[in-house]
């Protein structure tokens, strides 16, 4: 049980380290107020409205100079400083961490055999059988 717990804990810690150091970018494209596309790894696809060139003459008066599309980019930077030193902790903090891990690991240790504390002692001598004397029987 202890080995399985340690394996599960080590895999979990590996995933924690991987996800805290990984950086990613989310690219989002809006057309007006509606979401058109979002992408994690590549540039988000556009709706094609921003490619239309507005005209300044009287050929198409419905086109305006302002585009209705907008792009948004969310960047999450990962951390690069994984070298945390145990020497940066104070002596009291080091003592607390050491005693915490020692007691936590020893919490899961089981007994090798089933210990019976009264194995070496004989039961008391019964002078008379009290249940038969008072006629009290458990049913």
């Amino acid at each position: 049980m202890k080995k399985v717990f340690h394996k599960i804990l080590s895999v979990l810690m590996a995933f924690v380290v991987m996800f805290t150091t990984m950086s990613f970018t989310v690219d989002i494209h809006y057309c007006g107020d509606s979401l058109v596309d979002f992408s994690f790894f590549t540039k988000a696809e556009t709706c094609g409205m921003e490619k239309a060139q507005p005209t300044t003459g009287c050929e198409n008066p419905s086109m305006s100079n302002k585009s209705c599309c907008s792009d948004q980019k969310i960047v999450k930077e990962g951390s690069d400083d994984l070298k945390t030193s145990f020497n940066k902790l104070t002596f009291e903090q080091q003592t607390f961490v050491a005693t915490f891990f020692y007691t936590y690991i020893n919490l899961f240790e089981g007994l090798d055999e089933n210990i019976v504390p009264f194995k070496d002692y004989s039961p008391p001598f019964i002078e008379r059988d009290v249940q038969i004397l008072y006629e009290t029987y458990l049913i």
Side-chain angles (χ1 to χ4, degrees), residues 2-20:
K2 187 175 180 181
K3 289 182 182 180
V4 173
F5 177 72
H6 281 282
K7 287 181 182 180
I8 291 172
L9 189 64
S10 64
V11 169
L12 271 170
M13 291 303 291
F15 277 120
V16 166
V17 169
M18 183 180 80
F19 285 124
T20 56

Side-chain angles (χ1 to χ4, degrees), residues 73-133:
K73 185 180 274 191
I74 301 170
V75 178
K76 192 267 179 195
E77 292 291 331
S79 63
D80 291 335
D81 52 344
L82 290 179
K83 287 185 159 184
T84 55
S85 176
F86 197 64
N87 296 333
K88 291 181 183 177
L89 299 175
T90 64
F91 179 71
E92 289 82 15
Q93 291 171 340
Q94 289 178 3
T95 307
F96 172 75
V97 169
T99 54
F100 176 76
F101 280 123
Y102 179 76
T103 55
Y104 190 74
I105 288 172
N106 287 337
L107 181 67
F108 296 108
E109 286 186 6
L111 298 174
D112 293 336
E113 60 185 45
N114 192 6
I115 298 173
V116 181
F118 51 86
K119 175 176 70 171
D120 297 329
Y121 301 104
S122 61
F125 179 70
I126 299 177
E127 295 178 8
R128 57 184 176 210
D129 197 0
V130 177
Q131 290 177 345
I132 295 175
L133 181 68

Side-chain angles (χ1 to χ4, degrees), residues 53-89:
Q53 297 293 326
T55 58
T56 56
C58 296
E59 298 167 3
N60 195 356
S62 65
M63 296 291 289
S64 64
N65 288 335
K66 188 176 180 183
S67 177
C68 67
C69 296
S70 64
D71 290 324
Q72 184 179 5
K73 185 180 274 191
I74 301 170
V75 178
K76 192 267 179 195
E77 292 291 331
S79 63
D80 291 335
D81 52 344
L82 290 179
K83 287 185 159 184
T84 55
S85 176
F86 197 64
N87 296 333
K88 291 181 183 177
L89 299 175

Side-chain angles (χ1 to χ4, degrees), residues 15-64:
F15 277 120
V16 166
V17 169
M18 183 180 80
F19 285 124
T20 56
T21 58
M22 187 173 70
S23 62
F24 63 91
T25 303
V26 178
D27 198 17
I28 303 171
H29 180 77
Y30 290 102
C31 187
D33 289 335
S34 62
L35 175 67
V36 175
D37 190 27
F38 70 94
S39 176
F40 286 108
F41 301 111
T42 60
K43 186 165 175 57
E45 293 182 12
T46 61
C47 59
M49 295 289 288
E50 70 280 345
K51 292 182 182 178
Q53 297 293 326
T55 58
T56 56
C58 296
E59 298 167 3
N60 195 356
S62 65
M63 296 291 289
S64 64

